[in-house]
Amino acid sequence: MNLHITNILKDLKNDDFDAYLLTQFTNVEYISNYKPTSFAFCIIKENPIIYASGMDMELAMNNSSIEVREYESFDVMIGDLKEDGVKRLAIEPSLPYSTYIKFKDDFTIDSKTYIDKQRMIKTPEEIKKISQATNIAQKSFLQLDILNNENTEKEVAFDLVRYMIENGAQKESFDTIVTSGANSSLPHAIPESKKLEKPILIDWGCIFEGYCSDNTRTMVYTERQQEIWDIVAEAHYKAIKSIKPGIKCCEVDKVARDIISDYGYGDKFIHSTGHSLGLDIHETPGFSTRDETIIEEGMVITVEPGIYLQGEFGIRLEDTVSISRKGNVIGDLPLDIG
Amino acid sequence: MNLHITNILKDLKNDDFDAYLLTQFTNVEYISNYKPTSFAFCIIKENPIIYASGMDMELAMNNSSIEVREYESFDVMIGDLKEDGVKRLAIEPSLPYSTYIKFKDDFTIDSKTYIDKQRMIKTPEEIKKISQATNIAQKSFLQLDILNNENTEKEVAFDLVRYMIENGAQKESFDTIVTSGANSSLPHAIPESKKLEKPILIDWGCIFEGYCSDNTRTMVYTERQQEIWDIVAEAHYKAIKSIKPGIKCCEVDKVARDIISDYGYGDKFIHSTGHSLGLDIHETPGFSTRDETIIEEGMVITVEPGIYLQGEFGIRLEDTVSISRKGNVIGDLPLDIG
């Protein structure tokens, strides 16, 4: 039985639960090495089991480290659980309401973050995969020759994805953002069919062996753009320097936010300072104003302050930090590409 | 006020609810034309409102046809709702448990499919967008020159996505499947870095103006492969011919399943016969053994029977049917590409 399961069994025992239901694909993958493609119910108990869909059976049998049974119906699954003595069932916070109500009459239910708690702390092997993803993504970015680029936003985004795949990535880790000119004030802008304007903001990453990378760079061209870039770069640098085990996530957010606020742009920094990543591109904890999680060694969290001036432009800079006794930035791409 | 909202207000009144909470991005987009990029709470009531995240405010203000307010906290939002006299709140079946529990103490809650019910029936404008997406995807497929292709699965998948984007698509509508040889027995196979083997199964689609397309073709090369292909093609053809308003979705599934079963491969057809599509690649209803939904004009549903022989190969053929008085296949790509 793997360590992840052993840990969950301890948590269940402490909280007096009999089983833990996982349905999120990356949670099932984390536990069993099998990533569902349609749906699956993974139930962690003394004898853990995955109910896989018929169309996933071959894949599940090939990859899963724990027992797999073909899903027939809710009734059969609930019957099995009752037969096994399960009365108190822990679920993921993300479980859809429609699934919750199918279990709620037969079990005492509460949501627990046992799995998130484990996924927060990456093993050296997981960190290595995130580093490899980051290296592929950064190398691909440099192939773009962005400064001599006559292409459209869409074409640049497309080239970047192609380079990442050619360099060994499975795919992009989220929809690649290549935005320029006034559109860059939208944090999640969608690349358009127009030639690059200035500044150019690129937010990109890839997946390598299941693990995500995430970076952002903004290339600036005017004094005004440079002025804002410098503020974001200072917030980015000082937030990264502040990261260490033992302090709270919100304290890192405060470092970045205070710098940007001191320059008078506090209300233009319209998102959190960063998020964890791993099998998913957004994991917990994050560097946000409300996240009181204590930073621990093994966490991998991005730092991505930004300033968004509606009608003008936006600037964001993002790196991913692997937290050891002092945080270490993953990858070696300079902040200043210009 | 748009028709979608008027219809929901009627449903709410009939069922004695005061408001309907939508959080699924495509549901919010369907109602308001604003597609969230981080999170949003869209509340349909006499005065509908969207609570958008700070980072989405510019986008939401630009695109939303209904009032937008910046989200501050659950407490503020719940306070607003109570002030508005909301006591009985309808939610989407997909709402995460963690969101449900934040509302459950202040409101009487039940899940309703008002929005799915409307999204089932596409307007002529929506059907046109699905057709345009399909045309782009099919034209791009023909550019592949698949029969003279010396590339790897990954390269072919990549070329197909590039052609779709060059031809005007926003992006692929799901992870493009290019699989070949024995791997084709996995319905959701991931393209590999190996040269194409035989048979070749390609399942692909793109998004045009928000709307998805979905097709599958399998190119066969041996007598055994052709034998199985012929069975799947018969199931595909006869299922499509059987589609008409007034019958149940499960009856169309039965047509395809019975043909495949009669040839002795019933247990090798390991998924449903088809699914609706639109703003999402998988919508309701579907042609499955249990879906009793009555087929109506305006539905757009795929037909995709398949036979999967583990260790040998898999065959699947998929087209998308726009349901009028007699179903009409969208697009004009021949089934037999060889």
Side-chain angles (χ1 to χ4, degrees):
Chain A
M1 191 168 295
N2 71 47
L3 187 63
H4 300 319
I5 295 178
T6 311
N7 286 335
I8 289 176
L9 290 177
K10 271 185 215 156
D11 284 334
L12 288 169
K13 204 173 168 190
N14 282 339
D15 292 344
D16 199 24
F17 280 101
D18 304 312
Y20 192 26
L21 168 68
L22 301 175
T23 62
Q24 231 180 273
F25 291 179
T26 48
N27 283 343
V28 178
E29 180 182 15
Y30 186 76
I31 286 294
S32 75
N33 197 44
Y34 149 61
K35 187 174 186 178
T37 77
S38 49
F39 70 84
F41 299 93
C42 171
I43 296 161
I44 309 297
K45 48 189 174 61
E46 283 301 334
N47 305 307
I49 190 165
I50 295 175
Y51 292 89
S53 70
M55 69 181 285
D56 263 4
M57 279 302 287
E58 182 182 347
L59 184 70
M61 298 297 278
N62 285 345
N63 293 353
S64 175
S65 59
I66 69 182
E67 192 188 333
V68 175
R69 201 175 296 170
E70 187 170 337
Y71 170 86
E72 286 174 70
S73 71
F74 262 95
D75 288 345
V76 168
M77 186 164 61
I78 285 173
D80 288 354
L81 285 175
K82 283 173 150 178
E83 209 165 282
D84 233 21
V86 175
K87 291 197 174 77
R88 288 175 51 81
L89 182 66
I91 60 171
E92 299 155 309
S94 62
L95 193 79
Y97 178 79
S98 55
T99 311
Y100 159 69
I101 54 173
K102 287 190 173 155
F103 286 100
K104 86 172 170 38
D105 293 335
D106 291 290
F107 305 96
T108 304
I109 291 179
D110 201 1
S111 73
K112 290 289 169 185
T113 53
Y114 303 142
I115 184 96
D116 312 76
K117 199 179 66 179
Q118 287 198 55
R119 286 179 56 181
M120 280 183 190
I121 309 298
K122 271 71 181 176
T123 62
E125 199 183 28
E126 289 181 288
I127 293 171
K128 198 173 165 193
K129 288 176 184 172
I130 295 168
S131 300
Q132 284 171 299
T134 306
N135 291 340
I136 289 169
Q138 294 191 346
K139 174 181 169 186
S140 305
F141 176 87
L142 291 172
Q143 283 175 265
L144 280 178
D145 190 16
I146 194 73
L147 304 174
N148 298 306
N149 209 307
E150 287 291 304
N151 290 335
T152 67
E153 294 175 358
K154 252 187 169 176
E155 286 164 345
V156 173
F158 194 80
D159 284 343
L160 186 47
V161 176
R162 177 162 57 92
Y163 292 143
M164 291 194 291
I165 290 176
E166 284 174 359
N167 290 324
Q170 289 165 249
K171 53 186 281 201
E172 56 187 352
S173 49
F174 54 91
D175 287 349
T176 299
I177 298 172
V178 175
T179 182
S180 63
N183 278 354
S184 57
S185 73
L186 297 168
H188 284 164
I190 294 168
E192 297 192 353
S193 296
K194 66 173 176 66
K195 284 209 192 298
L196 291 180
E197 297 171 6
K198 288 162 182 179
I200 305 166
L201 185 156
I202 302 187
D203 188 347
W204 80 105
C206 68
I207 301 183
F208 178 78
E209 293 186 2
Y211 283 80
C212 297
S213 79
D214 196 354
N215 280 111
T216 307
R217 291 293 182 268
T218 310
M219 281 64 73
V220 294
Y221 298 86
T222 69
E223 226 167 89
R224 169 78 173 143
Q225 290 167 11
Q226 185 67 54
E227 180 198 331
I228 301 296
W229 191 97
D230 288 344
I231 299 168
V232 175
E234 185 182 334
H236 172 272
Y237 176 78
K238 290 190 176 158
I240 289 176
K241 290 285 278 186
S242 77
I243 297 170
K244 58 181 179 200
I247 68 168
K248 289 176 183 174
C249 282
C250 54
E251 294 179 64
V252 175
D253 182 82
K254 192 171 182 322
V255 169
R257 205 163 298 277
D258 282 353
I259 290 165
I260 291 174
S261 296
D262 285 348
Y263 284 100
Y265 294 101
D267 62 329
K268 308 299 179 194
F269 179 18
I270 54 180
H271 53 66
S272 301
T273 297
H275 56 87
S276 290
L277 53 71
L279 290 172
D280 283 309
I281 185 65
H282 289 119
E283 299 187 357
T284 56
F287 296 135
S288 72
T289 50
R290 292 172 199 200
D291 196 327
E292 305 256 331
T293 310
I294 304 289
I295 297 171
E296 290 179 55
E297 286 194 44
M299 290 179 173
V300 177
I301 317 183
T302 71
V303 172
E304 53 169 329
I307 293 176
Y308 305 91
L309 306 173
Q310 199 173 330
E312 283 190 84
F313 59 82
I315 308 280
R316 181 169 64 255
L317 296 167
E318 179 178 29
D319 278 289
T320 303
V321 178
S322 165
I323 293 156
S324 57
R325 258 188 296 171
K326 65 193 241 317
N328 292 305
V329 172
I330 295 177
D332 57 2
L333 187 69
L335 263 198
D336 187 354
I337 303 292
Chain B
M1 189 167 298
N2 71 47
L3 186 64
H4 299 319
I5 294 177
T6 312
N7 286 335
I8 288 175
L9 290 177
K10 271 185 217 158
D11 285 333
L12 287 169
K13 202 172 169 190
N14 282 340
D15 292 343
D16 198 23
F17 280 101
D18 305 310
Y20 192 26
L21 168 68
L22 301 175
T23 62
Q24 232 180 270
F25 291 180
T26 47
N27 283 344
V28 178
E29 180 182 15
Y30 186 76
I31 286 295
S32 74
N33 196 43
Y34 149 59
K35 186 174 186 179
T37 79
S38 49
F39 70 84
F41 299 93
C42 172
I43 296 161
I44 309 298
K45 48 188 174 61
E46 283 301 334
N47 306 306
I49 190 165
I50 294 175
Y51 292 88
S53 71
M55 68 180 286
D56 263 4
M57 278 304 286
E58 183 182 347
L59 184 71
M61 298 297 278
N62 286 345
N63 294 354
S64 175
S65 60
I66 69 180
E67 192 190 334
V68 174
R69 201 175 294 171
E70 187 171 337
Y71 170 85
E72 287 174 68
S73 71
F74 263 95
D75 288 345
V76 168
M77 186 164 61
I78 286 174
D80 289 353
L81 286 174
K82 284 172 148 178
E83 209 165 280
D84 232 22
V86 174
K87 290 198 176 76
R88 287 174 52 82
L89 182 67
I91 59 171
E92 298 154 309
S94 62
L95 193 78
Y97 178 80
S98 55
T99 310
Y100 159 68
I101 54 171
K102 288 189 171 155
F103 287 100
K104 88 172 171 37
D105 293 335
D106 292 290
F107 305 96
T108 304
I109 292 179
D110 201 2
S111 73
K112 290 288 168 187
T113 53
Y114 304 141
I115 184 94
D116 311 77
K117 199 180 67 180
Q118 287 199 53
R119 287 179 56 182
M120 279 182 191
I121 309 300
K122 271 72 181 177
T123 62
E125 200 184 28
E126 288 181 289
I127 293 171
K128 197 172 164 195
K129 288 177 184 173
I130 295 168
S131 300
Q132 285 171 297
T134 305
N135 290 339
I136 290 169
Q138 293 191 347
K139 173 180 167 187
S140 305
F141 177 86
L142 291 172
Q143 283 175 264
L144 279 179
D145 190 15
I146 194 73
L147 303 175
N148 299 305
N149 210 306
E150 287 290 305
N151 290 334
T152 66
E153 293 175 358
K154 253 187 167 175
E155 286 164 346
V156 173
F158 196 80
D159 283 344
L160 185 47
V161 176
R162 177 161 59 91
Y163 292 141
M164 293 195 289
I165 290 177
E166 284 174 359
N167 289 325
Q170 292 165 248
K171 52 186 282 198
E172 55 186 353
S173 49
F174 54 90
D175 288 348
T176 300
I177 297 172
V178 175
T179 183
S180 63
N183 278 355
S184 57
S185 72
L186 297 167
H188 284 163
I190 294 168
E192 297 192 354
S193 296
K194 66 172 175 68
K195 285 209 191 298
L196 291 179
E197 297 170 6
K198 288 162 182 179
I200 304 166
L201 185 157
I202 302 187
D203 188 348
W204 81 107
C206 69
I207 302 183
F208 178 78
E209 293 186 1
Y211 284 80
C212 298
S213 80
D214 197 355
N215 280 110
T216 307
R217 290 293 182 269
T218 309
M219 280 66 71
V220 294
Y221 297 87
T222 68
E223 224 167 273
R224 169 81 173 142
Q225 291 167 12
Q226 186 68 53
E227 180 197 333
I228 301 296
W229 192 97
D230 288 342
I231 299 168
V232 174
E234 185 182 335
H236 172 272
Y237 176 78
K238 290 189 175 158
I240 289 176
K241 291 285 277 186
S242 78
I243 297 172
K244 58 182 178 197
I247 67 168
K248 289 179 184 173
C249 282
C250 54
E251 294 179 64
V252 176
D253 181 82
K254 192 171 182 321
V255 170
R257 206 164 296 279
D258 282 352
I259 290 166
I260 291 176
S261 296
D262 285 349
Y263 283 100
Y265 294 100
D267 62 331
K268 308 299 180 195
F269 178 19
I270 53 179
H271 54 65
S272 301
T273 297
H275 56 87
S276 290
L277 53 71
L279 290 171
D280 284 307
I281 184 67
H282 290 119
E283 299 187 356
T284 54
F287 296 134
S288 71
T289 49
R290 293 174 197 199
D291 196 326
E292 306 255 331
T293 310
I294 305 289
I295 297 171
E296 292 179 53
E297 287 194 43
M299 289 180 175
V300 178
I301 316 183
T302 71
V303 172
E304 53 169 328
I307 294 177
Y308 306 91
L309 305 174
Q310 198 172 332
E312 280 190 83
F313 59 82
I315 307 279
R316 180 168 65 255
L317 296 168
E318 180 178 28
D319 277 288
T320 302
V321 178
S322 166
I323 293 156
S324 57
R325 256 187 299 171
K326 65 192 241 316
N328 292 306
V329 171
I330 295 178
D332 58 3
L333 188 68
L335 262 198
D336 188 353
I337 302 293

